[in-house]
Amino acid sequence: MNLRRVTGFAIAAAAAAVSAPLAAQNVAITNATLATGDGSEPVENATVVVQNGKIVAAGPGVAAPAGMAVIDGTGKWVTPGLFAAMTQLGLYDVDGVPNSNDSSGGRSIFSAALDVTTALNPASQHVAVTRGGGITRASVFVGPSSAIFGGQGAVVDLGADPNMVMRPRAFQVVTLGESGGRIAGGTRLAAQAAFRNALQEAQTAVGKADRPADALLNRPDALALVPVVRGEQPLYVAVERAADIRSVLALRNDFPRLDLVIVGASEGWMVASELAAAKVPVIAHALDDLPTSFEDLAATQSNVGRMVRAGVKVAVGGLTGGTGDQARNSKQFAGNLVALNKLPGATGLTWGQALATISSVPAEIAGFGGKAGVLKPGAVGDVVLWDGDPLELSSAPVKVFIDGVEQPTDNHQTKLRERYRNLDTSQLPKAYEW
């Protein structure tokens, strides 16, 4: 037999195996402590049933269907897959190496037209590490760099397959405040003028082959902002101080269709009632307690708790730092918001509210309310079985399902751990000897 032909068949078969989607499993997890992710408190001795990639039942008193595979969750916790509100997963291998980092537009002549899906790498080890931490869905964004607009983000799943994009061009990102001011020319005045001009140019861009002679946006960027001014694409606006948040809310006076989401909001607690009245959700850092610039002088660890108490929908996340850089740490931040209740005078969250900031609320902000981040009938079959309270730092996932498919939780980090856990040092080279 021709060896080359056999090798070709083997390679083709291997490629088909990698690209073929895994079949969803029908499974029930029984006797576990259940947290549905909707803000309610956990309940004990509950069952979750996943069938054909969807949640069909979840709660105490639910019986596993006859003949279905059963996982005994005694002593364990079960939650929906966590949802990273904003991250740059899949956009870099080593963030300090420019050639492997596509997290921003750099010096590109384009900004709003940049589409994050063109650079996503589902095989990134950062995706595998995050999936192993219980994160199953995420909103991936492009960071603003050469212009105040970052580009069009996407909603993705972290399944171990090549098809990670759930919704392309899911939102647009813009930065104002101090960051936007630096990019636009050194002042908030320039950032606001550039921002309003961009929206105005987008309003007149449709149906015109030629751009006006005095247009500041190129045509692709102007067209990319058309869904924003029409309210068809959410606009994620990064601002921190209370005055800047009020300026963003005032945009609806001139652009009434804007679907706004505030990102950052270190001083959000100062305008919480206004955010709630405007029904504008917030993606906030969990525990900003010390000002790092003049735009967050009123930062407090009680920021998230006070906004939630005022009726604002708040997810934990941000453009930089915290969960944006390490999405799997989101459960630690959520747990800290619960612990905050023990500090005199502080305002934290209940356990259920804290879990919701990293599950159902970011899913709802991303346009998947009731479909992701919850364990309710009809939602996607994203389920995580934990060895303990998931908001405790010491707890870790035992099993992770995405769309009803059990996922691998190994990655480069776990392989290194196992390699060196009980390393035989007797055969090490002389260079390793002291």
Side-chain angles (χ1 to χ4, degrees):
M1 182 177 291
N2 188 311
L3 181 59
R4 184 177 298 174
R5 181 178 299 173
V6 172
T7 303
F9 285 151
I11 293 174
V18 171
S19 60
L22 298 174
Q25 300 158 251
N26 296 331
V27 63
I29 299 175
T30 61
N31 305 316
T33 299
L34 166 70
T36 59
D38 63 354
S40 60
E41 297 303 297
V43 294
E44 296 181 352
N45 299 318
T47 296
V48 176
V49 179
V50 182
Q51 197 165 20
N52 299 323
K54 301 286 186 181
I55 305 296
V56 296
V62 173
M68 180 174 286
V70 174
I71 298 173
D72 185 6
T74 300
K76 298 179 175 61
W77 290 57
V78 61
T79 71
L82 305 184
F83 197 117
M86 294 200 77
T87 182
Q88 297 192 313
L89 288 171
L91 292 180
Y92 62 89
D93 295 309
V94 180
D95 59 359
V97 179
N99 289 342
S100 76
N101 192 335
D102 296 303
S103 60
S104 71
R107 296 181 298 276
S108 170
I109 62 171
F110 302 106
S111 57
L114 297 174
D115 184 346
V116 73
T117 62
T118 60
L120 287 173
N121 176 21
S124 166
Q125 278 298 311
H126 298 283
V127 173
V129 168
T130 303
R131 179 174 63 240
I135 311 290
T136 60
R137 312 266 166 175
S139 294
V140 181
F141 72 95
V142 191
S145 54
S146 60
I148 60 174
F149 291 98
Q152 301 174 95
V155 179
V156 305
D157 73 59
L158 304 188
D161 61 72
N163 304 311
M164 70 185 303
V165 178
M166 294 175 60
R167 179 175 293 171
R169 297 175 293 282
F171 56 94
Q172 176 69 237
V173 175
V174 65
T175 183
L176 301 176
E178 287 186 7
S179 175
R182 284 195 301 269
I183 294 172
T187 172
R188 283 179 171 83
L189 304 176
Q192 283 286 340
F195 183 48
R196 287 180 173 274
N197 175 76
L199 297 183
Q200 289 165 351
E201 288 191 17
Q203 285 181 323
T204 61
V206 178
K208 294 184 179 180
D210 298 321
R211 303 286 293 131
D214 61 347
L216 298 180
L217 289 184
N218 57 49
R219 184 168 178 79
D221 284 344
L223 290 177
L225 291 174
V226 170
V228 171
V229 295
R230 288 179 172 175
E232 299 166 356
Q233 185 183 66
L235 179 64
Y236 286 27
V237 187
V239 285
E240 301 291 347
R241 76 181 188 184
D244 291 332
I245 296 172
R246 288 192 177 99
S247 294
V248 174
L249 297 181
L251 286 169
R252 283 182 172 167
N253 294 331
D254 298 322
F255 306 96
R257 294 184 179 180
L258 289 180
D259 183 4
L260 297 170
V261 177
I262 301 296
V263 180
S266 292
E267 294 186 352
W269 65 274
M270 300 176 67
V271 291
S273 60
E274 295 163 65
L275 286 164
K279 297 182 179 179
V280 172
V282 172
I283 300 173
H285 298 295
L287 295 170
D288 281 351
D289 61 338
L290 293 174
T292 57
S293 67
F294 284 99
E295 66 180 353
D296 57 3
L297 291 175
T300 170
Q301 289 185 335
S302 294
N303 184 40
V304 171
R306 291 175 181 175
M307 285 193 288
V308 170
R309 180 173 292 183
V312 182
K313 290 186 181 298
V314 183
V316 168
L319 288 187
T320 59
T323 60
D325 295 339
Q326 293 285 344
R328 64 175 176 161
N329 290 341
S330 61
K331 72 185 190 71
Q332 175 184 346
F333 287 100
N336 288 340
L337 290 171
V338 179
L340 202 59
N341 289 314
K342 297 181 180 180
L343 296 181
T347 304
L349 300 179
T350 67
W351 195 99
Q353 288 173 331
L355 181 66
T357 66
I358 57 174
S359 56
S360 62
V361 175
E364 184 176 347
I365 291 173
F368 291 87
K371 298 299 181 183
V374 291
L375 294 179
K376 290 188 175 182
V380 293
D382 290 12
V383 182
V384 182
L385 186 64
W386 306 79
D387 59 12
D389 181 343
L391 300 190
E392 290 290 339
L393 185 59
S394 59
S395 299
V398 175
K399 290 182 179 294
V400 177
F401 295 85
I402 297 178
D403 288 323
V405 179
E406 185 171 357
Q407 301 292 319
T409 56
D410 62 324
N411 52 70
H412 188 61
Q413 291 183 358
T414 62
K415 290 175 182 177
L416 286 173
R417 179 194 65 199
E418 295 306 315
R419 178 179 180 180
Y420 293 105
R421 184 193 295 273
N422 297 302
L423 184 67
D424 179 6
T425 60
S426 63
Q427 302 300 317
L428 288 176
K430 291 292 184 181
Y432 287 86
E433 294 183 1
W434 291 94

